[in-house]
Amino acid sequence: MRRSSISVAANIAEGVGRKSDKDFAHFLNIAMASAYETQSHMYLALDLGYVDQEGFDIVYTSLDEMCRMTFSLRQSLGVK
């Protein structure tokens, strides 16, 4: 879970440093995939009792919002 959550920010940062919108969009896709992976880990953590429902809801909702914002940013680049 730590690796996938760190990957979100790392891929956005790496994408910002790229020269083209196409490259940036690619790294935004990777960041979103890492966020979805983290959400999946959150379900497992909830099922195993590592996190309570309130903690799950906070993190899951934050990741969901981040994905929506990242997707919007990607769309604004106009890259197919």
Side-chain angles (χ1 to χ4, degrees), residues 6-31 34:
I6 290 169
S7 178
V8 174
N11 278 290
I12 293 171
E14 186 170 352
V16 168
R18 295 298 171 139
K19 301 281 186 216
S20 71
D21 286 347
K22 183 178 178 182
D23 284 341
F24 186 24
H26 172 73
F27 282 95
L28 291 175
N29 284 339
I30 295 170
S34 294

Side-chain angles (χ1 to χ4, degrees), residues 30-68:
I30 295 170
M32 286 188 294
S34 294
Y36 291 128
E37 180 182 353
T38 305
Q39 284 180 320
S40 175
H41 291 315
M42 286 300 296
Y43 277 112
L44 184 59
L46 180 64
D47 290 346
L48 294 173
Y50 297 145
V51 64
D52 62 13
Q53 187 66 52
E54 182 181 358
F56 172 88
D57 291 342
I58 291 167
V59 173
Y60 192 92
T61 301
S62 295
L63 287 165
D64 191 51
E65 182 179 358
M66 190 280 314
C67 283
R68 284 186 272 115

